[in-house]
Amino acid sequence: MDIKIPETYSSLFRDINGVVKYHNIILRTLSNNVSSEDNVDAIISKMEEILKKANGIGLAAPQIGINKRIILINLGKKHIVINPVILEKNGTYISDEGCLSIPGLWGKVNRHKNVILGGMSPSGKEITINLENMSAVVAQHEIDHLNGILFFDNETAISDSFYWQKDRDSEPLDIEYLDTQQFPQSAEM
């Protein structure tokens, strides 16, 4: 799916703050597993700096131009997971989602309320993390990035809920699609 960025929002899509923006091919690319040759500490340090500067709650390495499977979740408690895998999932949680790579676009996605992630810690130890509610949503959103999936084309996106809005005080604009396809209907989880 491809979306049309309204002219009034185009200034938000300059590559400022270190976040790769929509239409960069890395956002549609399957990320590679992290290996022992990768400088994980440098990647994580850069991700933390960019996430803080962007005032975000989650970030995946492709969003900073690095095609590696690393996610960072910072919602009260910080979680860094290398080569994350969803081991278990249940429940339903629908919320408005946005994305640092697609500034101004918002919409509802039907996600799992609870997930158990497996992966590695920055020190290389195997970890398992239980996440619920928004932390689970952020983890699923970031793992989608690792798989080259943007939130508006997730199979559980609620098609008629997407809109452009710069901030809470501005009037929302309807989203325009560049092709004739529509988003799939939301799926049961």
Side-chain angles (χ1 to χ4, degrees):
M1 181 64 63
D2 202 10
I3 57 171
K4 180 180 179 188
I5 300 165
E7 186 61 37
T8 55
Y9 289 77
S10 61
S11 65
L12 300 175
F13 283 80
R14 288 189 217 115
D15 282 331
I16 55 172
N17 75 7
V19 177
V20 170
K21 300 297 190 280
Y22 178 62
H23 282 116
N24 186 312
I25 192 69
I26 198 167
L27 297 174
R28 298 290 197 176
T29 304
L30 182 65
S31 296
N32 298 316
N33 280 330
V34 173
S35 70
S36 59
E37 292 85 42
D38 294 316
N39 188 347
V40 173
D41 291 338
I43 296 170
I44 292 169
S45 177
K46 185 175 179 182
M47 288 175 70
E48 289 175 320
E49 176 187 329
I50 289 171
L51 185 64
K52 183 177 181 178
K53 192 178 352 178
N55 199 28
I57 58 174
L59 195 66
Q63 291 181 277
I64 64 165
I66 298 173
N67 191 23
K68 293 293 178 178
R69 297 186 74 79
I70 303 173
I71 63 170
L72 169 59
I73 302 164
N74 195 4
L75 228 157
K77 183 175 181 183
K78 181 167 50 172
H79 299 282
I80 299 167
V81 186
I82 299 165
N83 299 331
V85 177
I86 297 175
L87 302 173
E88 292 181 32
K89 54 194 174 189
N90 65 59
T92 298
Y93 193 96
I94 299 173
S95 66
D96 261 349
E97 288 188 31
C99 183
L100 295 174
S101 292
I102 315 167
L105 183 64
W106 296 91
K108 295 187 184 314
V109 181
N110 192 349
R111 302 277 190 182
H112 296 287
K113 183 176 181 175
N114 304 291
V115 296
I116 297 176
L117 292 184
M120 288 189 317
S121 71
S123 65
K125 294 181 181 164
E126 285 191 31
I127 57 173
T128 303
I129 302 171
N130 295 305
L131 299 170
E132 61 183 20
N133 301 320
M134 274 309 290
S135 293
V137 167
V138 173
Q140 292 166 86
H141 178 108
E142 302 312 330
I143 290 172
D144 278 353
H145 275 299
L146 302 181
N147 295 322
I149 298 169
L150 299 172
F151 78 108
F152 62 81
D153 43 32
N154 183 293
E155 64 185 21
T156 63
I158 300 172
S159 63
D160 61 356
S161 73
F162 282 80
Y163 60 95
W164 291 98
Q165 189 170 16
K166 281 188 180 180
D167 54 53
R168 299 261 182 231
D169 297 328
S170 64
E171 282 293 315
L173 298 174
D174 288 334
I175 186 170
E176 292 181 53
Y177 304 100
L178 296 180
D179 63 18
T180 57
Q181 291 181 318
Q182 295 296 310
F183 287 113
Q185 295 300 311
S186 61
E188 291 278 351
M189 293 190 158

